[in-house]
Amino acid sequence: MALSDTQILTDARTPRELPATKRTPKFLRRLRQHGLVIALALVFVFPLLVMLSTALKSPQDVFSSPPTLIPSEWTFDNFATAFDQIPVWRYLGNTMLVAGLSVLGTALSCPLVAYALSKVKWAGAKPLFIMVLATMMLPPQVTLIPLFLIWNGVGATNTYLPLVVPAFLGTPFFIFLIRQFLMNVPDDLIEAARLDGASEFRTYATIVLPIARPAIVTAAVFQFVWAWTDFLNPLIYLNDESTYTLSIGLYAFFGENDVAWGPLMAACTMFTIPALIIFLIGQKFFIGGISAGAIK
């Protein structure tokens, strides 16, 4: 018997069910889809696990052969040794001061410049924005010696001014990031505030800043991590041991105790935890700011 056209179309649209033996469990499908992500995550997490494992090992376990990831004997003596041999609290306070001031400077300067380059209509906005982008193309090593000569000429070496003041003058990458975010803000909101008699600064403070909070938090997280882990600039500008940050302090500790891997990894663990906590706290805004700033 010939099939009607309606039956043929219905049969063509109805998917054939696979036998029960050929169906892939949902868990395995998800695991296969996320296998690459999981593998990459393990690659990045593995050094942190090795660091934490070494910090909790006894000296015998550190140099055991073959090496093991899980200590046979858990110990916290390495943390006590690290506190005894290096002034951790002083270095931690210095690093918090530099990172905190850098974040404050970034949060004050970069949104203001980004607003002026995105929402304020004036003749030099586009040329100046191109100049800001052009400065991102210069490697920091190119301007390292001229900047050192300038700071040394004004007597600011061996102080925190070279590490903090640049953040208050604006960072090109963060200006670009926040500016791209503000380009998505409707101009009607800003024009409505201006028609209501709001000044430019009031419009910026009451309308633009709350909207740009994800991008600002993203810039703050970036700046904190950069300032927290910065090694080159403190190495160049800081000469007094009392002003050392954690990165320089760990380097000095490594030079004096190049075989004390347990205490060294314990100090590195304490160095890593604050940056990790800040990232986890700002993760929600961090991801939102990156995605929104990348889409125009």
Side-chain angles (χ1 to χ4, degrees), residues 13-296:
R13 293 174 181 175
T14 303
R16 296 180 179 178
E17 293 187 0
L18 295 175
T21 56
K22 294 185 178 180
R23 294 177 185 173
T24 304
K26 183 178 180 181
F27 171 75
L28 293 180
R29 291 200 307 268
R30 292 176 62 88
L31 182 63
R32 183 173 56 191
Q33 293 171 358
H34 298 85
L36 180 60
V37 177
I38 295 174
L40 290 176
L42 292 177
V43 170
F44 285 100
V45 170
F46 183 73
L48 297 178
L49 295 178
V50 172
M51 178 185 67
L52 182 60
S53 173
T54 306
L56 297 174
K57 286 181 178 180
S58 62
Q60 294 77 14
D61 286 343
V62 171
F63 298 101
S64 63
S65 182
T68 58
L69 185 62
I70 300 177
S72 60
E73 180 183 354
W74 299 81
T75 178
F76 292 92
D77 293 341
N78 293 324
F79 290 90
T81 303
F83 274 96
D84 291 338
Q85 295 186 0
I86 60 175
V88 175
W89 293 116
R90 184 173 64 194
Y91 294 163
L92 181 63
N94 296 340
T95 309
M96 287 294 295
L97 177 63
V98 172
L101 291 177
S102 299
V103 169
L104 177 62
T106 298
L108 290 177
S109 62
C110 294
L112 191 62
V113 178
Y115 173 72
L117 295 177
S118 59
K119 294 303 179 182
V120 179
K121 308 301 181 183
W122 54 291
K126 289 185 177 180
L128 182 59
F129 180 62
I130 294 175
M131 292 179 60
V132 171
L133 294 181
T135 60
M136 297 173 57
M137 303 177 187
L138 288 175
Q141 293 81 4
V142 174
T143 58
L144 190 60
I145 296 178
L147 287 176
F148 177 81
L149 294 177
I150 293 174
W151 289 115
N152 188 51
V154 298
T157 54
N158 202 29
T159 68
Y160 296 133
L161 291 178
L163 308 180
V164 173
V165 171
F168 284 87
L169 301 179
T171 304
F173 175 72
F174 299 142
I175 293 173
F176 168 75
L177 178 68
I178 301 174
R179 187 253 185 193
Q180 294 303 107
F181 184 93
L182 293 180
M183 292 296 291
N184 300 319
V185 177
D187 292 336
D188 295 340
L189 291 176
I190 299 175
E191 292 298 333
R194 291 169 179 168
L195 290 176
D196 288 340
S199 63
E200 201 70 53
F201 182 78
R202 184 176 180 182
T203 303
Y204 164 76
T206 59
I207 296 179
V208 176
L209 281 184
I211 296 176
R213 184 172 59 176
I216 297 174
V217 174
T218 300
V221 172
F222 266 121
Q223 181 61 53
F224 181 87
V225 174
W226 288 358
W228 187 269
T229 60
D230 189 14
F231 176 79
L232 182 60
N233 289 321
L235 180 65
I236 292 174
Y237 293 109
L238 301 179
N239 301 321
D240 189 357
E241 186 178 355
S242 62
T243 62
Y244 281 179
T245 58
L246 273 172
S247 58
I248 303 299
L250 290 180
Y251 177 75
F253 176 76
F254 180 81
E256 297 174 1
N257 306 276
D258 54 347
V259 295
W261 292 104
L264 179 62
M265 292 299 104
C268 290
T269 301
M270 293 183 289
F271 177 68
T272 305
I273 288 176
L276 183 61
I277 293 175
I278 292 297
F279 178 81
L280 293 177
I281 292 175
Q283 184 179 16
K284 176 182 176 181
F285 296 100
F286 180 79
I287 297 175
I290 287 292
S291 59
I295 300 174
K296 182 176 179 181

